[in-house]
Amino acid sequence: MNGSGRTYPRATMRLQLHGGFTFGDAADVVPYMAELGISHLYTSPILTARPGSMHGYDVVDPTTVNPELGGEPGLLRLVETLRGHDMGLIVDSVPNHMGVGRDNFWWMDVLTLGRASEYARFFDIDWDANPRVVLPVLGDTLDTCIERGDITLVLDADSNALAVAYGEHRFPLSPSSALDAHASTDLYQPTDLRALLARQHYELVFWREAATRLNWRRFFDINELVAVRVENPVVFEATHATLFRLYAEGVIDGLRIDHIDGLTDPSGYCRALRQRLTALEGRRPPGAPRGSYVIVEKILADHEELPHEWGIDGSTGYDFMDEVGSFLHHPDGELPLTRLWQEASGRTLDFHAEERKARDELLDGSLRPEFERAVAALAAVAQARQAGIGADAIAAALRALVVHFPVYRTYAGAAGRPAQDAWVMEEALSAAQAACSEDAAAALGAIDAWLGGEAPDAVGSDEERAKRITAIRRFQQLTAPLAAKSVEDTAFYRYGRLLSRNEVGSNPGLFARDAEAFLTRSRRRGRDFPGAMLATATHDHKRGEDLRARLAVLSECAGEWAEQVEAWRNDHRALRMQVGATGEAGEDLMLYQMIIGAWPYALRADDHDGLALFVERLAGWQEKALREAKLRTSWTSPDVAYEGAQRQFLAALLDPARCAFSGEADAFVRRIAPAGAANSLAQTLLRLTLPGVPDTYQGTEFWDFSLVDPDNRRPVDFAARQAALATLSTAAERAAHWQDGRVKQAVVALALRARKLDPELFIEGALEPLTVTGPRAATIVAFARQVGRRAAISIATRTAFRLLDSTPQIPSAALAGTHVSIPPQLRGEYRDVLSGQTVTITTHLNLADVLVDLPVALIMKEPPRR
C-alpha cells in the first residue's frame, strides 16, 4: 500500500499465452515465479482472439475468455494456484481494436446489416465516405476474381446460410439478398454474382486499394484489425464487461492497457476505467487486494510527461528501457560510430531526418487513408469558417506539420488544448513553417487554431464546433500510427549507427545519458508514478536486453570496431558477389552488429549444427529488417530474389567451410562479452532497485540474446530455470560460471527477495544519488533508497570494457582508491544481499572491498542492535 491508497505489485513477470502455452502451463510456472520473488503474473490478452493467435491482440470476442487458453475454467484454476502462492494477476487489455473476420460476430453483423446493425457504432467506420464497408481482401480486381471463379456462393457450415466465399474468407449476405438468392449455389453466373455483391453492405476490393479506398480506421496500417470506438459509453461497457466482472470477482487485480494513444480520448478512457474499477471494489471478495493497478502502453518523447490527470499508475516501462539503455553507452563512441555509419551506408547522419523521410513516404503509402480523412476534416472546418483556404494548401500544411511532429499525439478535445501540448505544437509548427511553401505556411496558423489553439466550444455554431472536434480527432488518429510506423517499423531498420539504441520507446538520436540525467529521471518517476513499470525486455522488443547491453560495449571500442568492420567488408566483398548480394549500403554493417550482439555464449566457430540454427534465427530477423526498411523490398511488394541473395550471404558468412568469419566473430565476441555481461548485470540491478515496479519478461532471468518477434516469443525452458534456482545460495558463487546465465538469475532472485522483505522501502523509499570518487568513478553508479532508518544501497558497474579481462568483474587493483561517500544517516551495519557478507560503513565504502566477485552489489542496512 502506498500514500495514494493503491496497492502496487512488488514485482511482475510477463508470460505470453497462446494455444501452445495455456493457463495450465502458466499455473505450472507459478511455484517457480513465487520462489523467484515475483508477486504478480502479468499476461498477454486473455479474451477470445482469432483462432490460432500467438499473441492475443486480435480479439474477436471480448465477452468470453479465450477457449484456446483453457477458457474461464482454466483461468480460475490458474488464479487458484496464484492465490495459493500469495500472488496476483495483471492482464493485458486491448480496448482500441479488434480482429476482423468470420470469428467476430459483431463485425459480421455489421457486414450483414450495414449501418442498421446495432454494432455499427462499435467500429470507427466512415459511413459518409462510403455507405458500404470496404474490404481490401482480394488478390486482384473484383472483375478478375469473379471471372476466374475465385469468388463463389457456398453454404457456410458455421451459420448454415448462404455466404460469399473467397479463399478462407466467408462473407454474409444481407437479409434482402439472401431471400432472393437461388437455392442452388451452382446457378450463379458472373453477371448475377456482380449484381448480388453490389447489393451487400460491404464492397470487396483489391488489397492494394486499401491506401485509397478504405473507409474504416485500422490499428496502424493493419487491414485485419479494426479500430473500436470505446469513447462511446455503450461500446466501453460492452467491450469491458468481462474484464470488469473478473475484477469484481477477485480474479484479476490490474490491467495493462494496450496502445493508449490509439484511443480517441485516452484521458477520458483512463478516468472512466479508474472510476468503474473503483466502483467495483466493494464487490471484490474478502482478502482480495484493494486499489486496482492500471498501467498504459505509451511511448514518451524525451521532453514528454505522462499526464497526471489520467489517474493511472504509470507506463509499461518503455521510457525506463530507453533511459537505462542510453546510460550504458559511452559518449566517446558517438562521433566515430556516426562517421562509420555514414561511410558504410552513405545515408544521413541524422536519425530524425531518416524518420521524416519515412513519414513522408507513409503519407503517400499505407497511411494515406488516415491522412486524407484528416485533410477532409480540416477542409470541412475551413468551409464552415469561410476561411478561404483550399484543400491543397491544407494538405500541404498538414503534411509538413505531421512530418515534423515530435510525439505520438496531442490530447486536445472539446475543452481545447491542454497546457502540456503547447511545446509540442510550437516545435512542430516552427519546423513546418520552414519546410513548406508560402501558401501552406499561411494555412498553418489556421490549422493550429482549429486543432485546439482556440477552444472548440468558444466560438461558432454547434455544427462548426462538431467539425472542429472531428478534425482534432482525425489529426490525433493520424499522428500516432504515423509515429509508430515511421520510427519503429521503418527508420529503426534504415539507421544502423548502433542498433542497441534502436529500441521500442527509444530515441536513436540520443546516444548516451550520464549518471546525473539518468538518476534525475528515475527520481522524478518515483515522485510522480511510484507504481510505474520498469522494463528492459518485452514481447515487442527489437533486440533482447543482453544483446543490447553487449552492443553498447561497441561505444567503448568504436575505433577498434570500425577497423574490424572495414576489414570484414573488404574480405567479404567477393563472397557477396558470388551470391549476388549487392544490397543497400549499410545492411552489412547492421548484419555484423546483429551477429556479434546475438552470438550465444555456448556457440563455437566449429559448431556446424549450432551455426546453422543461429543462421535460421538471424534469417528471420533479416527478412523482417529488410522488409520493414522498405528500401528494396517490403511486406506488400517483396523482392524474393533480393531477399534470397541476402540470406545466402548470411549463410555463407557463417559457414566455416566457405569463410573464416565465424572464427573471427567468435573471437571478437569473447573480447567484448565480459563488458556486455557487466552491463547486463548493471541493467538488471537498476531495474530491480530503482523506483517503480520491476517487470521480468519470460525467460530473461537467464541471458537474453533474442531477436525481434517471433524470436523473442520462443518457448522458455522453465524447468532449467527452476532447477538452477533450487540450488541458489549466493550470486557470488555463480560468478565463476557467468556465461551460463545463472549469475543473472541469482541477482534477480536475491534482489526480489530483498524487495519482499521490505516492499515499502523499494516502492516509497527516497532515491538519493551517492557520490563516487577515485580513478574509476566514471564506471560506477551508486544510490540509496531510504525510509526512516531502513536503507538499501545499489552499486553498479558500466562502461568498463578497458578494465576487464575474461570475466565481468573489475580487478580489485583497478578499483583501488575508488569509493562511495556515505552521508551520516546511511552509515551502519549492512548485509550484502548478493554475497551474503556483512559490511560496516563509516564515512565511505571502498569498492574494492564490496565488488569482489561481481560487478554489482546490493547492500541492505541491518536492523539496529538493541
Side-chain angles (χ1 to χ4, degrees):
M1 189 73 72
N2 69 93
S4 69
R6 294 178 191 157
T7 301
Y8 297 137
R10 188 177 66 251
T12 60
M13 176 173 279
R14 168 79 178 206
L15 294 183
Q16 292 295 114
L17 303 177
H18 49 79
F21 191 87
T22 66
F23 293 134
D25 297 304
D28 291 340
V29 180
V30 167
Y32 165 70
M33 289 191 291
E35 181 67 16
L36 190 68
I38 301 298
S39 69
H40 285 69
L41 168 61
Y42 160 42
T43 73
S44 54
I46 64 170
L47 300 181
T48 301
R50 183 178 284 122
S53 175
M54 293 297 291
H55 49 75
Y57 290 98
D58 45 1
V59 173
V60 293
D61 182 5
T63 68
T64 58
V65 176
N66 196 340
E68 291 191 354
L69 304 183
E72 194 157 330
L75 174 62
L76 294 178
R77 287 191 292 272
L78 168 61
V79 171
E80 183 180 9
T81 305
L82 287 168
R83 301 309 184 207
H85 289 79
D86 196 27
M87 291 176 62
L89 177 63
I90 300 161
V91 301
D92 208 333
S93 173
V94 192
N96 53 75
H97 61 267
M98 290 179 68
V100 301
R102 62 195 300 184
D103 302 296
N104 186 333
F105 170 80
W106 295 353
W107 179 252
M108 295 299 280
D109 196 69
V110 173
L111 299 188
T112 303
L113 301 176
R115 210 164 185 170
S117 168
E118 65 176 299
Y119 302 109
R121 58 181 169 174
F122 279 44
F123 305 111
D124 195 349
I125 302 170
D126 188 350
W127 297 102
D128 294 329
N130 190 329
R132 303 166 70 196
V133 179
V134 176
L135 300 178
V137 298
L138 303 180
D140 211 318
T141 65
L142 177 63
D143 285 343
T144 300
C145 289
I146 291 176
E147 291 297 334
R148 285 198 306 237
D150 295 341
I151 302 175
T152 59
L153 278 184
V154 298
L155 184 66
D156 183 52
D158 293 337
S159 63
N160 197 33
L162 286 180
V164 176
Y166 176 75
E168 64 180 15
H169 299 286
R170 296 294 181 270
F171 304 105
L173 295 175
S174 65
S176 60
S177 63
L179 288 173
D180 296 339
H182 292 79
S184 173
T185 60
D186 296 332
L187 297 179
Y188 264 77
Q189 300 300 315
T191 302
D192 301 321
L193 195 54
R194 286 190 187 91
L196 181 69
L197 290 174
R199 296 167 57 192
Q200 304 311 309
H201 294 289
Y202 53 86
E203 182 180 0
L204 304 181
V205 302
F206 188 14
W207 67 265
R208 290 188 182 276
E209 295 183 58
T212 56
R213 298 287 310 281
L214 206 64
N215 66 328
W216 46 273
R217 188 164 62 89
R218 304 160 292 177
F219 173 67
F220 294 163
D221 60 356
I222 303 173
N223 293 338
E224 291 76 30
L225 299 175
V226 60
V228 177
R229 298 185 63 233
V230 290
E231 67 274 14
N232 182 314
V234 173
V235 181
F236 175 81
E237 290 297 332
T239 54
H240 289 69
T242 298
L243 293 175
F244 288 155
R245 176 177 61 80
L246 293 174
Y247 179 74
E249 293 173 355
V251 176
I252 63 176
D253 305 299
L255 297 172
R256 179 256 196 198
I257 309 304
D258 181 65
H259 187 46
I260 191 68
D261 281 340
L263 302 180
T264 295
D265 180 13
S267 180
Y269 171 83
C270 288
R271 292 196 302 269
L273 181 66
R274 177 65 76 189
Q275 184 177 23
R276 288 289 282 113
L277 293 173
T278 300
L280 294 171
E281 290 288 336
R283 292 172 50 187
R284 285 171 68 80
R290 296 297 189 264
S292 56
Y293 181 63
V294 178
I295 52 172
V296 299
E297 183 191 33
K298 164 71 177 161
I299 304 293
L300 291 164
D302 293 332
H303 306 297
E304 188 179 11
E305 299 291 339
L306 199 61
H308 290 275
E309 61 271 18
W310 287 6
I312 58 175
D313 295 305
S315 76
T316 55
Y318 294 143
D319 47 343
F320 177 77
M321 189 154 62
D322 171 44
E323 292 160 15
V324 74
S326 60
F327 179 56
L328 297 178
H329 287 70
H330 200 296
D332 289 352
E334 181 171 10
L335 183 59
L337 289 174
T338 302
R339 188 182 301 119
L340 171 64
W341 173 245
Q342 184 185 40
E343 293 171 355
S345 70
R347 300 187 69 84
T348 178
L349 301 178
D350 181 5
F351 172 77
H352 297 295
E354 197 75 82
E355 175 192 345
R356 290 191 294 271
K357 181 175 176 59
R359 285 173 178 254
D360 202 49
E361 293 171 5
L362 286 161
L363 292 174
D364 289 327
S366 63
L367 293 180
R368 183 174 168 183
E370 288 76 9
F371 178 63
E372 292 185 344
R373 279 198 287 271
V375 170
L378 287 166
V381 176
Q383 184 177 19
R385 294 292 295 270
Q386 298 181 344
I389 303 174
D392 289 345
I394 288 174
L398 180 63
R399 176 183 289 267
L401 186 65
V402 298
V403 162
H404 292 88
F405 215 64
V407 298
Y408 262 53
R409 60 168 288 169
T410 58
Y411 301 98
R417 180 181 298 158
Q420 68 191 39
D421 285 350
W423 74 269
V424 174
M425 291 301 294
E426 288 173 5
E427 184 174 311
L429 287 165
S430 177
Q433 287 279 0
C436 61
S437 68
E438 185 175 339
D439 287 347
L444 280 170
I447 290 176
D448 176 37
W450 302 338
L451 293 178
E454 56 184 11
D457 58 354
V459 294
S461 64
D462 290 344
E463 180 182 0
E464 181 190 326
R465 284 195 291 272
K467 288 181 177 179
R468 292 165 69 191
I469 292 173
T470 298
I472 290 171
R473 183 174 74 250
R474 292 305 185 195
F475 172 74
Q476 293 167 342
Q477 291 168 346
L478 167 64
T479 60
L482 183 61
K485 297 300 294 182
S486 62
V487 177
E488 297 169 29
D489 294 342
T490 306
F492 273 6
Y493 294 99
R494 294 181 177 181
Y495 184 84
R497 177 174 66 181
L498 190 55
L499 295 179
S500 46
R501 292 297 297 131
N502 293 20
E503 192 49 78
V504 179
S506 297
N507 172 13
L510 195 161
F511 190 79
R513 280 187 175 90
D514 61 23
E516 181 180 3
F518 173 64
L519 292 179
T520 296
R521 294 175 76 93
S522 293
R523 177 182 276 175
R524 184 185 305 126
R525 182 183 298 107
R527 179 196 67 204
D528 297 341
F529 293 100
M533 190 170 277
L534 306 183
T536 47
T538 75
H539 61 287
D540 276 335
H541 67 234
K542 306 296 184 186
R543 275 157 281 275
E545 60 182 36
D546 301 313
L547 192 164
R548 299 194 309 271
R550 181 188 289 172
L551 283 183
V553 180
L554 300 183
S555 68
E556 302 178 66
C557 57
E560 181 180 339
W561 171 247
E563 292 177 3
Q564 181 65 82
V565 166
E566 284 306 309
W568 283 335
R569 296 184 78 211
N570 289 329
D571 292 346
H572 303 151
R573 189 168 286 114
L575 189 62
R576 271 194 173 278
M577 295 299 292
Q578 288 175 20
V579 299
T582 55
E584 288 290 321
E587 285 176 359
D588 51 358
L589 180 55
M590 288 190 274
L591 178 60
Y592 293 139
Q593 288 184 61
M594 289 299 291
I595 292 172
I596 295 300
W599 191 279
Y601 280 121
L603 183 62
R604 293 294 175 260
D606 58 354
D607 179 359
H608 291 267
D609 291 341
L611 287 169
L613 290 173
F614 191 38
V615 167
E616 284 299 310
R617 290 181 54 218
L618 286 165
W621 160 82
Q622 184 185 56
E623 179 187 72
K624 184 164 187 172
L626 294 173
R627 292 186 178 185
E628 294 285 21
K630 308 172 190 69
L631 294 173
R632 289 280 299 274
T633 184
S634 67
W635 296 108
T636 55
S637 298
D639 186 331
V640 178
Y642 169 70
E643 294 175 0
Q646 303 308 311
R647 176 161 181 159
Q648 287 184 56
F649 175 64
L650 166 62
L653 206 58
L654 291 174
D655 181 353
R658 300 186 64 181
C659 183
F661 173 73
S662 58
E664 296 164 353
D666 187 16
F668 194 92
V669 169
R670 289 174 185 274
R671 287 205 59 229
I672 68 171
N679 279 343
S680 292
L681 295 178
Q683 179 173 249
T684 300
L685 184 68
L686 294 170
R687 170 171 55 86
L688 297 169
T689 60
L690 282 166
V693 175
D695 174 52
T696 300
Y697 181 64
Q698 57 179 32
T700 60
E701 59 274 34
F702 277 13
W703 298 128
D704 172 31
F705 296 106
S706 61
L707 311 176
V708 72
D709 66 278
D711 190 74
N712 61 12
R713 303 175 189 180
R714 288 178 298 155
V716 177
D717 186 352
F718 282 111
R721 286 157 176 79
Q722 191 157 2
L725 188 62
T727 62
L728 174 63
S729 55
T730 68
E733 54 90 15
R734 292 185 169 178
H737 304 284
W738 58 274
Q739 291 181 325
D740 64 15
R742 294 183 308 139
V743 65
K744 183 183 178 186
Q745 183 197 51
V747 171
V748 172
L750 294 170
L752 289 181
R753 292 173 187 178
R755 291 183 70 102
K756 186 175 183 178
L757 287 173
D758 196 345
E760 182 187 16
L761 174 63
F762 290 97
I763 285 292
E764 299 188 16
L767 171 62
E768 182 176 353
L770 300 177
T771 302
V772 183
T773 59
R776 306 305 175 201
T779 67
I780 302 294
V781 61
F783 59 87
R785 303 292 304 281
Q786 186 175 16
V787 171
R789 301 178 67 182
R790 290 145 35 224
I793 295 176
S794 298
I795 302 169
T797 303
R798 64 175 188 126
T799 60
F801 171 68
R802 300 296 176 193
L803 305 177
L804 303 178
D805 186 13
S806 58
T807 77
Q809 177 52 38
I810 302 177
S812 59
L815 288 171
T818 303
H819 62 264
V820 180
S821 298
I822 306 297
Q825 70 274 17
L826 291 176
R827 296 168 188 169
E829 294 290 317
Y830 284 77
R831 180 180 62 86
D832 187 331
V833 170
L834 304 183
S835 72
Q837 301 300 310
T838 299
V839 180
T840 301
I841 302 179
T842 55
T843 58
H844 62 273
L845 186 61
N846 292 317
L847 291 177
D849 297 334
V850 178
L851 302 181
V852 177
D853 298 303
L854 296 165
V856 294
L858 172 59
I859 57 177
M860 294 188 69
K861 201 169 189 179
E862 296 282 11
R865 296 174 180 171
R866 295 186 180 273

